[in-house]
């Protein structure tokens, strides 16, 4: 098999089991996503990430850590960050102070995670706040794509100062639909022109700044019958060719309801992964399936290997290069060093 490690999986607890270690060593495993259940305190998290890297130094350790209600680590020194809407509200009062606060937020977010061995947070949310989506809601910066773009760019600048890359989500936009793709298959019936002129604008305006993108498990039937994360039209033709995006593309969680219904039927995780990779994803996530012994994770790894042998997806060296490019290139501060960093301390003062 050509070198390509596209699977991002999770682990059940605060330490690695023998099964976790075996799956981490699998040649198809390229990333690991952490959740609140993997957190006890900073020492434990740092030991866990060190243990992971001892098995696979190249594995990308990720987390959904945005601020507001989506923040996995909140105690033992971690700063509780505001939801992104707070930055949008500050923009309406003082735009330039808001951009500085966004950079401060990104810096604090990235630096604290990196001090504990985490490589990447799936942030910023680029969805627009249309007012009807509970799953997005205050995770969005603003209704105006221009405001969302500049605040996201400022947040990404802060991440970069901490040595961390970014992930814009959920392409081409999840904010317009009311349904939650975790439990439903949302449908956005707008035209391609309407979407590209509004919700997808941040991806065009950030085409040289975004390191990675996560597409939405949303169907846009006037563009393609497939959800965006499984659609070559969206990922290859529009995101890559039309908008010029050159970074990595992550699928959203394959265990979400919006990922399971492809081509009119419910598919297995391995089938969904093969479709996503063939459509243009570089990496595919399977979350929260390690909790009952992880049989679903093993089925994905085995099934994806078999699908590759049958030619149902092709290993892509460009995808592997994009994955490796997301790994931090600088050594992080220890937590004690971070606490004595004037840049970090100033960022704390500038949080909204």
């Amino acid at each position: 098999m050509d070198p390509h490690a596209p699977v991002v999986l999770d682990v059940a607890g605060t330490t690695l089991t023998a099964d976790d270690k075996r799956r981490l060593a699998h040649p198809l495993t390229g990333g690991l996503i952490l959740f609140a259940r993997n957190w006890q305190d900073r020492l434990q998290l740092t030991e866990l990430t060190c243990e992971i890297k001892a098995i696979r130094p190249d594995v990308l350790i990720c987390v959904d850590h945005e601020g507001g209600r989506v923040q996995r680590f909140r105690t033992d020194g971690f700063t509780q960050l505001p939801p992104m809407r707070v930055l949008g509200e500050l923009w309406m009062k003082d735009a330039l102070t808001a951009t500085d606060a966004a950079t401060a937020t990104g810096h604090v977010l990235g630096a604290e995670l990196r001090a504990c061995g985490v490589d990447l947070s799936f942030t910023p949310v680029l969805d627009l706040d249309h007012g009807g989506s509970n799953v997005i809601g205050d995770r969005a910066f603003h209704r105006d794509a221009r405001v969302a773009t500049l605040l996201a760019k400022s947040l990404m600048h802060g991440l970069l100062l901490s040595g961390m890359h970014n992930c814009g989500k959920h392409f081409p936009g999840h904010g317009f639909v009311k349904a939650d793709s975790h439990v439903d298959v949302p449908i956005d019936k707008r035209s391609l022109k309407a979407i590209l002129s509004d919700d997808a604008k941040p991806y065009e305006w950030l085409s040289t700044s975004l390191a990675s993108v996560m597409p939405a498990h949303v169907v846009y039937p006037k563009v393609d019958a497939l959800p965006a994360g499984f659609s070559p039209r969206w990922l290859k033709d529009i995101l890559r060719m039309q908008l010029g995006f050159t970074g990595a593309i992550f699928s959203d969680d394959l265990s979400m309801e919006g990922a399971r219904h492809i081509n009119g039927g419910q598919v297995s995780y391995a089938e969904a992964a093969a479709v996503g990779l063939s459509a243009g994803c570089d990496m595919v996530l399977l979350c929260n399936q390690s909790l009952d012994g992880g049989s679903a994770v093993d089925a994905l790894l085995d099934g994806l290997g078999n699908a590759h042998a049958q030619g149902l997806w092709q290993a892509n060296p460009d995808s592997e290069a994009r994955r490796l490019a997301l790994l931090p290139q600088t050594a992080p501060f220890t937590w004690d060093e971070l606490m004595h960093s004037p840049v970090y301390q100033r960022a704390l003062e500038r949080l909204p």
Side-chain angles (χ1 to χ4, degrees):
M1 189 182 295
D2 294 329
H4 181 191
V7 174
V8 182
L9 43 76
D10 63 8
V11 295
T14 53
T15 58
L16 297 181
T17 66
D19 282 334
D20 292 329
K21 294 175 183 177
R22 172 177 56 78
R23 292 178 193 125
L24 271 171
H26 195 287
L28 288 177
T29 300
L32 185 139
I33 181 167
L34 297 169
F35 291 93
R37 66 169 185 275
N38 303 123
W39 162 264
Q40 183 179 318
D41 53 39
R42 281 189 288 107
L43 176 62
Q44 167 271 327
L45 178 63
T46 306
E47 288 176 346
L48 176 62
T49 56
C50 285
E51 195 179 7
I52 291 163
K53 292 286 188 176
I55 297 168
R56 282 289 296 280
D58 69 312
V59 84
L60 186 70
I61 302 177
C62 312
V63 67
D64 280 322
H65 201 85
E66 303 166 6
R69 59 192 150 106
V70 183
Q71 180 174 336
R72 304 304 184 209
F73 317 134
R74 298 170 174 270
T75 54
D76 197 19
F78 266 87
T79 304
Q80 295 209 21
L81 298 165
M84 295 303 97
R85 178 184 284 167
V86 168
L87 290 163
E89 291 168 347
L90 181 56
W91 173 284
M92 301 310 291
K93 300 171 187 167
D94 184 341
L96 290 176
T97 295
T99 63
D100 196 45
T103 299
T105 301
H107 189 137
V108 170
L109 189 163
E112 291 179 356
L113 288 174
R114 288 209 62 215
C116 295
V118 178
D119 298 319
L120 181 73
S121 174
F122 292 121
T123 188
V125 169
L126 298 178
D127 302 315
L128 303 183
D129 186 5
H130 287 272
S133 171
N134 290 328
V135 71
I136 302 301
D138 65 2
R139 297 166 67 193
F141 288 103
H142 205 273
R143 168 63 186 89
D144 189 324
R146 298 169 299 178
V147 176
T149 298
L150 284 170
L151 288 173
K153 189 165 191 173
S154 299
L155 183 112
M156 286 154 53
H157 183 202
L159 290 173
L160 206 57
L161 290 171
S162 77
M164 183 176 283
H165 287 298
N166 57 69
C167 182
K169 61 188 187 184
H170 306 83
F171 175 80
H174 200 313
F176 188 77
V177 291
K178 288 185 171 61
D180 177 356
S181 55
H182 291 84
V183 295
D184 204 347
V185 186
I187 296 174
D188 186 334
K189 296 181 179 178
R190 291 177 298 166
S191 68
L192 177 61
K193 182 179 179 182
I195 296 165
L196 289 180
S197 67
D198 195 6
D199 292 63
K201 267 293 181 187
Y203 297 90
E204 177 185 343
W205 289 329
L206 297 170
S207 69
T208 58
S209 311
L210 283 167
S212 64
V213 162
M214 181 177 286
H217 287 328
V218 175
V219 176
Y220 307 84
K222 290 187 177 169
V223 184
D224 196 342
L226 290 165
F230 302 97
S231 164
R233 176 104 199 272
W234 276 116
L235 301 184
K236 293 180 179 177
D237 298 350
I238 299 171
L239 181 58
R240 291 237 185 261
M241 298 301 294
Q242 193 172 333
L243 302 182
F245 176 66
T246 61
I249 301 176
F250 290 89
S251 83
D252 206 341
D253 177 13
L254 295 178
S255 69
M256 289 163 58
E257 196 63 26
R260 303 297 304 283
H261 298 272
I262 303 171
N263 296 328
Q266 191 163 19
V267 299
S268 71
Y269 296 139
E271 289 168 326
V275 172
L277 292 167
S278 297
C281 288
D282 299 300
M283 306 190 75
V284 290
L285 277 80
L286 184 63
C287 303
N288 300 316
Q289 300 304 306
S290 63
L291 296 172
D292 57 353
S295 59
V297 185
D298 289 329
L300 170 64
L301 292 170
D302 293 344
L304 199 53
N306 293 336
H308 182 269
Q310 294 166 26
L312 298 178
W313 67 280
Q314 307 297 318
N316 187 341
D318 292 339
S319 290
E320 185 66 359
R322 288 190 280 260
R323 179 185 79 83
L324 294 172
L326 292 173
L327 289 165
Q329 301 302 306
T330 56
F333 284 142
T334 65
W335 193 270
D336 286 346
E337 289 170 338
L338 188 62
M339 293 306 108
H340 291 91
S341 161
V343 184
Y344 168 79
Q345 291 298 334
R346 178 59 181 157
L348 283 178
E349 293 170 5
R350 292 295 276 176
L351 290 175

